[in-house]
Amino acid sequence: RVASALRKAIISKSIPEGAELTLENTAQELGVSVTPVREAFQILARDGLLEVKQNKCAIVLGVTEKTIREHYQLRAALEGTACMLCCQNNADLSKIKNCVDTAEEALSLQQAGNYTDYNQSFHFEIWEASGNEKMRNLLSELCMEMSELDYALNSQSEHKKIYAALEARDALAARAEMEKHILRSMDDALTYYL
C-alpha cells in the first residue's frame, strides 16, 4: 500500500524529481510506521523510481521512458500469465464479469471519473482468480493508473475482449489480449508522462 501510494505520487509528479524523502516524514504523512516506508523505498528503488541513501532518506529519480517500458513489460508478462492460470484452473469468473458490467454501465452514463477504480478492480479480480498469491502480490506493487475518458473507453473495450477469452477458457487468447492491453497502456503512459 505504501509503495503504491508513493509510486502514484512520483508518477503523477506530485512528488517532483529530485525531492528528498525521509523515512520519518514519509511515515508520518502516510500514517504508518517507518518499517513499511523502508520496504516501500526498497521496492521503488528496485523499480528505478528512487535512489535510497544511507542516511534514512531517498531521492526521487522521476519517471523515464525506460522506467515506464520496464514497468509495463513486466505487467504484460505477469498479467498475461494470470489470465492463462484463470483459464487453466477453471476459475470462477463472476467477479471479473461484474467488474466489466459495472464499468460498462458507468461509461454508458459518461461517468469516467470512477473508471480508475473499475480498472483496478478488473485487474485485481484476475490476479485473485489466478490462484497465485505471489503473482498477485507482485502485481499489486506495480499499479500505475491514468484516468481520462479516452483511456477509459479504450481500456473497457479491451477488458471485454479479455473477459470473452477468459469465459471461453482460451488461455492463449486471454494471455494475448491481456498483453496487448498492457502494452497499449504502456504506449499511452509514454505519451502521457513524457
Side-chain angles (χ1 to χ4, degrees):
R1 184 178 64 85
V2 173
S4 181
L6 288 173
R7 179 181 287 107
K8 184 179 259 185
I10 291 168
I11 289 168
S12 69
K13 299 183 181 174
S14 58
I15 299 177
E17 185 175 341
E20 182 177 286
L21 305 176
T22 64
L23 288 173
E24 292 79 13
N25 288 347
T26 304
Q28 191 173 38
E29 287 175 20
L30 295 175
V32 297
S33 70
V34 171
T35 301
V37 174
R38 184 179 293 114
E39 292 170 1
F41 280 8
Q42 294 302 318
I43 290 167
L44 296 176
R46 181 191 68 213
D47 292 348
L49 295 173
L50 293 178
E51 179 185 348
V52 177
K53 301 289 188 179
Q54 290 183 356
N55 61 347
K56 298 182 181 181
C57 77
I59 305 299
V60 176
L61 298 177
V63 179
T64 65
E65 180 176 348
K66 182 179 188 296
T67 306
I68 291 172
R69 284 191 186 284
E70 288 177 352
H71 168 87
Y72 281 99
Q73 288 165 350
L74 182 58
R75 269 193 67 190
L78 290 173
E79 292 206 50
T81 300
C83 285
M84 287 189 69
L85 289 172
C86 286
C87 294
Q88 291 167 355
N89 299 336
N90 203 29
D92 176 6
L93 304 176
S94 59
K95 290 181 180 178
I96 300 167
K97 173 81 167 121
N98 185 52
C99 291
V100 172
D101 292 346
T102 304
E104 185 71 16
E105 183 178 330
L107 288 174
S108 72
L109 300 172
Q110 301 223 333
Q111 296 173 346
N114 294 333
Y115 190 75
T116 298
D117 294 336
Y118 301 135
N119 186 48
Q120 287 176 342
S121 294
F122 173 79
H123 289 273
F124 177 80
E125 293 301 343
I126 289 173
W127 310 340
E128 194 70 28
S130 77
N132 186 315
E133 189 174 329
K134 179 87 169 167
M135 186 184 310
R136 183 194 69 208
N137 293 338
L138 285 170
L139 283 163
S140 67
E141 291 177 6
L142 292 172
C143 256
M144 179 189 288
E145 297 297 337
M146 298 179 299
S147 59
E148 293 182 9
L149 182 59
D150 289 342
Y151 172 79
L153 294 171
N154 285 339
S155 185
Q156 178 64 10
S157 172
E158 293 163 354
H159 286 183
K160 290 193 288 190
K161 291 176 185 175
I162 294 164
Y163 179 76
L166 290 171
E167 188 175 42
R169 304 295 182 189
D170 186 338
L172 293 177
R175 179 176 72 182
E177 290 296 338
M178 179 59 83
E179 288 174 353
K180 279 195 307 193
H181 169 62
I182 298 297
L183 293 175
R184 194 265 316 142
S185 295
M186 175 185 72
D187 291 338
D188 287 353
L190 286 167
T191 302
Y192 185 81
Y193 292 116
L194 300 179

